[in-house]
Amino acid sequence: GLMAQDDQMQMGNQTVDTPRLSGPIIIDKMKKGAFGLKLNLLELDILVGVGGKPYSDLGHLADEIEYHLQEYARPVLLSFMREGKLFHVLTDRVLGVDFLPVQGDSLKSLSSLMRNVELPFSSDMRNYHIYCDKDKQAELHSQTRSILAMLAPPFWIMSQRFFEGAIVSTLAVATAFVVHWMLGVLTYVVLCLYVGRDQHKLGQSFMGYRGFRQIFCIAGTTEADAQLAALHLDPELKFIFTPKKLRQRLSKPVPSRSIGE
């Protein structure tokens, strides 16, 4: 009895010194206004890796995120499982969600799923936002700031396929030029600053205006990667524009492989 007590005390001390997670953790509650909501995470999503390392090698999540941000000075890649499907998001802050450890049978089936999974390291990944409308028509927007938005706002607005916005902004600048060339220049500069600064919010509102809502935030190295990951999570999505690389990849027949090959 004494030995067992002693062991327990030692284990207790150990957990205080090096807070280890015994395994993967599952999102239990999303707090209001949590950053996790902006990344389109859902309750029951299971965190399986951070920065390319599997969950078994990790300390507390908040500590891991802080450490990665300081050590590598770039957003941290988090790997999640949703209904047996793997996806990744980049974050530059703590998620603000409550996690619970995954246990029992769920842990067993997850461990067997993870056995053949390689987690990527985030050096050249970026976040893409995936939007869809009620007919499952989908579009993808990169979360990298666009130079076009900062230098030629009307063209950027047009590239977002918000044609009314492009026409209105062009008319506003043209009208200001008619009044006085300095007013025209000033209007154009203000437009550049405003659109350049708020391009993500504007992009979202343009999409909302067209009846699209954001359903996923996915980290990928290219648009094709992000589209493929989105199709993996929801095979019913119909992307309006698919990169050439992805079209070639989708048209190739996938060889069926028996387990254990």
Side-chain angles (χ1 to χ4, degrees), residues 20-235:
R20 285 266 167 227
L21 302 172
S22 55
I25 47 178
I26 188 164
I27 294 182
D28 178 44
K29 273 198 203 82
M30 291 291 235
K31 295 172 185 154
K32 208 176 171 189
F35 189 65
L37 289 169
K38 286 202 170 136
L39 299 174
N40 296 101
L41 295 174
L42 302 173
E43 285 170 10
L44 303 185
D45 282 350
I46 301 171
L47 179 80
V48 293
V50 176
K53 273 194 178 168
Y55 49 73
S56 50
D57 309 334
L58 301 179
H60 266 315
L61 181 62
D63 298 344
E64 285 292 328
I65 289 176
E66 291 295 326
Y67 166 74
H68 273 259
L69 288 174
Q70 284 167 7
E71 188 70 15
Y72 303 107
R74 61 166 174 255
V76 191
L77 188 72
L78 303 182
S79 302
F80 283 92
M81 274 278 187
R82 180 179 294 173
E83 294 172 1
K85 294 166 177 178
L86 184 72
F87 69 99
H88 314 281
V89 296
L90 285 163
T91 183
D92 56 3
R93 66 197 76 173
V94 175
L95 302 176
V97 303
D98 290 335
F99 283 100
L100 287 174
V102 179
Q103 290 162 331
D105 290 342
S106 312
L107 184 57
K108 274 185 202 143
S109 57
L110 184 67
S111 299
S112 63
L113 267 178
M114 291 301 293
R115 209 162 284 145
N116 307 317
V117 168
E118 266 190 59
L119 298 175
F121 191 71
S122 62
S123 57
D124 51 358
M125 289 175 118
R126 62 182 61 168
N127 275 346
Y128 292 91
H129 283 176
I130 316 285
Y131 294 84
C132 89
D133 67 5
K134 59 184 193 315
D135 303 319
K136 291 282 186 181
Q137 297 270 352
E139 285 202 26
L140 171 145
H141 284 230
S142 163
Q143 278 310 94
T144 310
R145 284 191 172 277
S146 160
I147 301 289
L148 191 65
M150 299 176 205
L151 300 181
F155 288 103
W156 177 79
I157 294 169
M158 207 148 79
S159 76
Q160 303 292 299
R161 288 176 285 288
F162 185 59
F163 303 111
E164 298 92 328
I167 292 165
V168 168
S169 59
T170 308
L171 282 175
V173 172
T175 309
F177 265 109
V178 167
V179 175
H180 194 285
W181 69 267
M182 276 180 75
L183 183 64
V185 169
L186 188 68
T187 306
Y188 191 75
V189 168
V190 168
L191 190 67
C192 288
L193 290 172
Y194 170 65
V195 173
R197 196 194 60 197
D198 286 343
Q199 55 188 274
H200 295 153
K201 277 189 200 147
L202 286 169
Q204 266 178 327
S205 42
F206 295 159
M207 294 304 288
Y209 179 82
R210 288 167 48 212
F212 282 75
R213 64 188 180 87
Q214 190 182 316
I215 51 164
F216 301 133
C217 175
I218 289 174
T221 41
T222 61
E223 286 197 7
D225 278 345
Q227 283 196 12
L228 214 53
L231 288 166
H232 182 54
L233 287 173
D234 184 351

